Amino acid sequence: MRFETLELTVDARGVAVLTLNRPEKHNALSAQMIAELTQVAGQIAGDDAIRVVVLTGAGASFCAGGDLGWMRDQMAADGPARAAEARRLADMLGALNRLPKPLIGRIQGQAFGGGIGMMAVCDVAIGVDGAKFGLTETRLGLIPATIGPYVLARMGEAMARRVFMSARVFGAAEAVTLGLLARAVVPDDLDAAVEAEVAPYLACAPGAVAQAKALAQQLGSRIGPEAVEHSIAELVARWESAEAAEGIAAFFERRKPDWADRG
């Protein structure tokens, strides 16, 4: 299977590296990337030769969130089209979250919005010192809706509320405190830190690992269909709001939205 927005390699040990490969767009999530991520998740899930998956990005950014052209398209779409696109995004996140393999995030750069959601579906994420993060949707009049169940499951409500609504940008050290990153390391140590997370799984029974992961999700902050459906409805409602229309328009017009401090 060939991809235009992703790269998938598998080494002799069964370690797959899945790379978001739109570096010129800071690996922003386009409609095509969302579709390809869903496809590759199914491919990886069904491949018994793959033992562990490392998720990373090409270039300076891990993932800058939703592609703004894609979001502008949603503003122009009708209700059913918006709902279908929100569902595709939710299905992609769910497919990665349910992977019956360990998913290790190699966070080599910044992540915003949907990129935080991509980090949150990883079983463990290691990032670099100096990287910046943020749930920046509210600056555009939007909300972190479809990623919300996974972000809350990762951070817990109390921690998530520190950054979920304010769009405040935070660093790698705070990402560790929030539970979003397991560790932050200097860039030269990133690959060794990721390998330290990968290697133990190669001594484990793959079926037991898959069953243990499923059990952890069942016993933990379970993300059921109701939560997913609610997140889809909330995203569509936000796309239909006057605030979102103003926020997206202001971004493309390179001006402050009407609610922002103009001082």
Side-chain angles (χ1 to χ4, degrees):
M1 188 180 295
R2 296 181 64 86
F3 303 102
E4 293 186 22
T5 69
L6 308 173
E7 181 178 320
L8 178 66
T9 62
V10 184
D11 70 16
R13 303 176 300 166
V15 178
V17 178
L18 175 59
T19 305
L20 308 179
N21 196 24
R22 298 182 76 212
E24 73 287 353
K25 297 291 187 182
H26 294 277
N27 299 318
L29 294 165
S30 64
Q32 184 175 10
M33 182 181 277
I34 290 167
E36 291 186 353
L37 281 165
T38 305
Q39 291 170 354
V40 79
Q43 176 183 331
I44 290 169
D47 189 341
D48 290 341
I50 294 177
R51 304 280 301 273
V52 187
V53 184
V54 175
L55 176 64
T56 191
S61 300
F62 171 66
C63 178
D67 181 89
L68 283 162
W70 174 75
M71 285 196 280
R72 184 163 58 176
D73 289 344
Q74 309 323 308
M75 302 304 299
D78 61 19
R82 287 171 175 153
E85 203 62 25
R87 187 171 301 283
R88 290 185 188 99
L89 177 58
D91 288 347
M92 179 272 287
L93 291 165
L96 289 174
N97 189 60
R98 292 189 302 272
L99 269 182
K101 327 270 182 173
L103 182 60
I104 312 299
R106 178 186 179 275
I107 315 304
Q108 90 294 351
Q110 65 182 3
F112 299 104
I116 300 294
M118 297 289 285
M119 293 170 64
V121 299
C122 293
D123 296 303
V124 62
I126 309 296
V128 293
D129 292 328
K132 299 297 183 184
F133 306 95
L135 292 148
T136 51
E137 288 89 344
T138 53
R139 288 185 187 171
L140 296 172
L142 298 170
I143 58 174
T146 48
I147 66 172
Y150 307 100
V151 172
L152 269 291
R154 171 53 53 86
M155 295 187 190
E157 182 184 350
M159 289 291 186
R161 283 170 65 165
R162 295 185 184 186
V163 293
F164 200 72
M165 303 89 75
S166 68
R168 177 172 62 80
V169 174
F170 53 94
E174 187 170 1
V176 173
T177 299
L178 292 168
L180 190 61
L181 290 178
R183 280 197 288 158
V185 298
V186 297
D188 286 348
D189 291 346
L190 180 60
D191 287 335
V194 170
E195 177 61 24
E197 297 292 338
V198 167
Y201 286 109
L202 303 179
C204 298
V209 170
Q211 191 170 351
K213 178 172 177 175
L215 181 62
Q217 291 178 330
Q218 290 166 357
L219 296 177
S221 300
R222 191 168 185 180
I223 300 168
E226 272 190 28
V228 173
E229 291 299 321
H230 183 63
S231 73
I232 291 169
E234 289 289 298
L235 179 57
V236 172
R238 261 289 115 183
W239 276 340
E240 295 174 348
S241 70
E243 284 187 343
E246 167 63 9
I248 297 293
F251 179 87
F252 283 105
E253 292 167 12
R254 299 181 181 274
R255 61 174 175 83
K256 290 184 177 181
D258 60 15
W259 60 76
D261 180 3
R262 296 179 186 274

